[in-house]
Amino acid sequence: MVSESPLSPQARRRDKIKNVLMAVRDNKWESFNDFLLAFYTSEDQAISRQANTSLGYKQGQTYALDIWVKNTHGESQQYLKQVITRKASEILISESDRALKEDSLHVSATGATIPRLTGDFGLSRLAELYRTLLPCMWLLLFALLTAENMYEWKSHRTKVNKETQAVQIVVVLISILLYVRNRATDAFQIMMGIFLASSGASRRVVDTLNHMGLSVSYAARDQARNFVHGALRLFAIVYDNINFTLRKASQRLDSATQQLNATTSAVFSLPSTISRAAYAAALSVSERNRRAFLRERLTLEALKPSLEKQAHLLQVFRYHVATILLTHSAEPLSKKHRKRMLKKAGFMKPKIRIISSEKTEFYPLPALAQEEASVGGTIKVVTKLFTQLLGLAEEVVDAELRLLVGDWLTIRNLRLMKSEIAEETTAFRRMSWVQECAMPFHFQLNAMYMLFRTHLGYPGDNNLSSLEHHRSLLRCSKLDPKKPEYNKAKELLYHSVIARVLDCARVCLGLPSHEDLRKWNFSWNDILRITTDIMDRFTTTSEAHKHLECGDDILAHAVLFLQDALIFLEFSDAI
């Protein structure tokens, strides 16, 4: 063995170690570990600063831990491994606590989008998220799955796609662990549940996988049935068709392009104020049948609004005119001052029958392999909704009116359905208990159609107050006079209303041009005065008739349009 020189690095390092150990012993420390414990827990600022510097990350710290584990034996080694394991478990629990608060690990009904379902179900995004939120758990599982097995050790070859498969398995394992600890972290399980349900998996399969933490339970699909059978609140059903086209590049007898027609539906609760006790007459089938033909007695006089409703409507007009003036005029006005005035204008808007804010219970139902575009399909859909999906007996269903909500095509088919089967023997088969209800947006859509049929005009009619003239000035695309595209029609309508209100303000102020209106620096009293002037001169039916008698058809039409447009604005706000 080669003798060491007294000046060699190894000898100097050995002497330093001996000197340190001697100093520790001379200062009455029982062991070097006691000294280290006191050193790192000292409250002295200078010592604490030095200890923190030593605890900072430095290259070689992992070697110290490796040597510590390697050089211990027997019970000491087992105890050291237990300490490391307990510390790793604390890190895992801390990471999982952070993951449980991550919103993206909970998928709501609106979060299960078509791109997510048609891709990889969000698994790649979950992998990146788990790597970030749970680095310790990811490292442990990934290291375990990618460790060399017996086959690789004997053949000296690595399995193909080993790391790719390991990533997928780690995502599944972490998803199960988080779901078992907290059912709200169900991003993976929701996607699996949708996949299993759409693939036709049985209830036993879904429940078994749920017990394994791989999927949501089948009971989630029964929540709508439990809610309906509880009968604590009134409910309605909304449904619509969904169509999938399965295209084939090569058309053959056994493989051709086909279209799948299905119906999606959901149950939702009505406000708690709408109870059976308060609306017993409204829910009665016989009472509805008794009033069925009263609309034949409707007269034009009955459609005229009462004085109270007219006063309410004038207050609504005043609010919308003032809001338009505050929002789209007076550039010199500061943002803060404009915001303060808009808040004042908000108090001008009248309020009636305010709906209380409460949570609406909403339960989606499984899709039906049945189209609802035809009358025959609608009959089958309605029957299956109540008897199969909700599990209600026919005698229970026809005991009171049942609200079915949909678009205009759905409403038309429901009415044709009741007319076609009016001669059936039982009340359930006659569907007399069905009460069709259009969605609020479709009322808004129909109101837009009516407004454009009245005020759009025709090209070349020289009506400067028509919407067609404004469309040509703005160079917008042409609109169908009977059923215009809603977004384009709404854009044209709002642009025209704002322009007319600003022009009315210019006329009331006696300003020669719109540039002068932009420089108008007004106060709140000025807004009230101009709003009242615009209301009196440009929004009343009497003023329109006065202009007609004077032969000014264009101004009369402009007044009538502004009146209808302001009503539409209020109707849109209400919806």
Side-chain angles (χ1 to χ4, degrees):
M1 184 174 180
V2 180
S3 59
E4 298 180 6
S5 172
L7 298 177
S8 66
Q10 292 182 356
R12 287 197 300 269
R13 184 173 63 177
R14 185 175 57 215
D15 292 339
K16 288 180 180 180
I17 295 174
K18 289 181 178 180
N19 292 333
V20 171
L21 292 176
M22 188 179 298
V24 170
R25 188 166 53 252
D26 292 343
N27 286 278
K28 308 301 181 180
W29 295 104
E30 293 183 3
S31 66
F32 189 74
N33 288 338
D34 292 336
F35 165 73
L36 289 178
L37 182 62
F39 174 69
Y40 286 116
T41 58
S42 175
E43 296 181 357
D44 184 80
Q45 293 185 357
I47 299 176
S48 178
R49 188 161 46 249
Q50 182 63 36
N52 292 334
T53 304
S54 301
L55 289 174
Y57 174 76
K58 293 181 180 179
Q59 188 175 4
Q61 285 180 334
T62 56
Y63 296 126
L65 182 60
D66 292 340
I67 294 171
W68 194 9
V69 175
K70 183 178 179 180
N71 292 339
T72 54
H73 303 282
E75 294 183 359
S76 298
Q77 188 181 54
Q78 294 298 325
Y79 179 74
L80 181 59
K81 290 182 178 180
Q82 290 177 7
V83 171
I84 296 174
T85 303
R86 283 197 296 268
K87 183 55 66 177
S89 66
E90 292 176 4
I91 296 174
L92 292 178
I93 294 174
S94 176
E95 289 180 353
S96 63
D97 289 340
R98 186 168 64 249
L100 297 182
K101 300 176 183 178
E102 180 64 30
D103 293 336
S104 57
L105 290 179
H106 170 66
V107 178
S108 61
T110 57
T113 57
I114 294 298
R116 186 168 189 167
L117 296 177
T118 54
D120 63 347
F121 284 81
L123 296 183
S124 59
R125 187 174 180 276
L126 279 179
E128 294 298 327
L129 192 60
Y130 288 159
R131 283 194 186 99
T132 305
L133 291 176
L134 307 156
C136 181
M137 186 180 296
W138 182 276
L139 178 62
L140 291 176
L141 295 175
F142 188 78
L144 178 63
L145 293 172
T146 55
E148 189 178 49
N149 58 20
M150 293 298 296
Y151 167 79
E152 293 173 326
W153 180 69
K154 291 180 180 180
S155 63
H156 302 288
R157 289 188 298 178
T158 304
K159 291 174 62 177
V160 180
N161 296 329
K162 182 177 182 179
E163 293 189 357
T164 303
Q165 294 177 1
V167 169
Q168 297 172 351
I169 296 173
V170 171
V171 169
V172 175
L173 292 176
I174 294 179
S175 299
I176 293 174
L177 295 174
L178 293 178
Y179 182 68
V180 171
R181 190 177 178 206
N182 187 0
R183 295 295 173 126
T185 51
D186 56 357
F188 176 82
Q189 286 73 18
I190 286 288
M191 296 298 107
M192 280 295 297
I194 294 175
F195 170 74
L196 293 171
S198 61
S199 302
S202 65
R203 176 170 185 163
R204 180 175 297 177
V205 171
V206 175
D207 285 342
T208 301
L209 293 177
N210 171 253
H211 293 322
M212 299 169 62
L214 286 168
S215 171
V216 291
S217 65
Y218 194 92
R221 300 171 60 186
D222 292 339
Q223 290 180 347
R225 179 176 293 191
N226 296 335
F227 168 73
V228 170
H229 287 189
L232 297 177
R233 294 173 64 177
L234 294 176
F235 67 91
I237 298 178
V238 56
Y239 71 92
D240 200 359
N241 63 300
I242 182 171
N243 304 315
F244 291 100
T245 302
L246 305 179
R247 302 186 184 277
K248 303 293 183 180
S250 178
Q251 301 292 322
R252 302 192 306 271
L253 292 177
D254 60 338
S255 178
T257 298
Q258 58 178 330
Q259 181 169 324
L260 300 180
N261 301 314
T263 301
T264 58
S265 57
V267 174
F268 65 93
S269 64
L270 300 182
S272 57
T273 53
I274 304 178
S275 61
R276 282 186 170 83
Y279 287 82
L283 293 172
S284 172
V285 178
S286 58
E287 185 67 18
R288 196 274 306 270
N289 294 336
R290 187 183 66 82
R291 299 195 305 263
F293 301 100
L294 293 180
R295 69 182 62 182
E296 297 177 356
R297 305 176 187 176
L298 183 66
T299 61
L300 187 61
E301 190 68 24
L303 293 177
K304 292 183 179 180
S306 62
L307 294 177
E308 181 182 357
K309 292 182 179 180
Q310 290 184 36
H312 176 86
L313 204 57
L314 290 176
Q315 190 66 18
V316 166
F317 286 179
R318 186 173 288 105
Y319 161 75
H320 285 290
V321 171
T323 303
I324 291 174
L325 292 176
L326 289 170
T327 307
H328 300 282
S329 64
E331 286 187 354
L333 195 65
S334 66
K335 184 177 180 180
K336 184 177 180 180
H337 192 40
R338 188 190 304 270
K339 186 176 181 180
R340 191 183 301 114
M341 288 191 179
L342 284 172
K343 187 176 181 179
K344 281 186 178 181
F347 294 106
M348 297 170 57
K349 189 173 185 178
K351 300 176 179 62
I352 56 172
R353 296 192 302 273
I354 300 176
I355 300 177
S356 60
S357 57
E358 61 179 287
K359 180 181 178 182
T360 300
E361 301 291 340
F362 186 88
Y363 303 101
L365 295 172
L368 290 173
Q370 177 66 54
E371 55 85 21
E372 60 96 21
S374 63
V375 177
T378 300
I379 296 174
K380 295 178 181 178
V381 166
V382 174
T383 303
K384 290 181 179 179
L385 281 176
F386 286 92
T387 59
Q388 294 185 13
L389 297 186
L390 297 181
L392 296 174
E394 295 183 0
E395 294 78 8
V396 176
V397 175
D398 61 23
E400 62 183 14
L401 291 179
R402 305 294 179 178
L403 300 181
L404 294 178
V405 184
D407 55 18
W408 287 111
L409 178 61
T410 300
I411 300 304
R412 190 202 66 171
N413 287 340
L414 287 173
R415 290 171 178 169
L416 292 176
M417 172 194 73
K418 291 192 290 185
S419 176
E420 183 172 317
I421 58 178
E423 303 300 327
E424 289 289 339
T425 55
T426 64
F428 180 84
R429 297 297 177 186
R430 287 194 297 271
M431 302 287 183
S432 57
W433 43 270
V434 171
Q435 180 58 57
E436 62 277 3
C437 301
M439 291 183 178
F441 169 74
H442 293 282
F443 283 102
Q444 186 178 356
L445 184 65
N446 199 44
M448 178 71 77
Y449 291 164
M450 297 299 102
L451 194 146
F452 266 71
R453 290 181 186 181
T454 305
H455 298 286
L456 180 61
Y458 301 95
D461 59 0
N462 294 325
N463 185 356
L464 301 181
S465 63
S466 67
L467 287 172
E468 175 63 27
H469 179 71
H470 289 186
R471 184 201 64 79
S472 61
L473 290 177
L474 297 172
R475 298 181 180 180
C476 298
S477 57
K478 289 187 176 181
L479 297 171
D480 186 351
K482 292 185 178 180
K483 287 188 176 182
E485 185 180 345
Y486 180 77
N487 289 330
K488 293 181 179 179
K490 183 178 179 181
E491 182 181 356
L492 177 61
L493 174 67
Y494 276 61
H495 191 286
S496 184
V497 170
I498 293 170
R500 291 171 194 252
V501 169
L502 293 179
D503 190 59
C504 291
R506 180 192 64 81
V507 173
C508 293
L509 290 170
L511 300 176
S513 66
H514 292 92
E515 290 295 328
D516 298 324
L517 182 63
R518 294 175 61 184
K519 301 175 183 178
W520 176 40
N521 196 356
F522 52 79
S523 63
W524 175 246
N525 292 330
D526 295 333
I527 288 293
L528 295 178
R529 178 176 56 82
I530 295 301
T531 299
T532 303
D533 201 3
I534 293 174
M535 295 279 300
D536 294 340
R537 296 175 58 180
F538 301 106
T539 63
T540 61
T541 307
S542 58
E543 286 294 319
H545 286 295
K546 186 186 299 183
H547 296 311
L548 283 175
E549 293 173 358
C550 297
D552 195 345
D553 294 348
I554 293 178
L555 185 53
H557 179 240
V559 171
L560 293 175
F561 167 78
L562 190 57
Q563 188 181 67
D564 291 345
L566 291 174
I567 294 175
F568 179 80
L569 292 183
E570 176 62 14
F571 186 58
S572 299
D573 283 356
I575 292 178

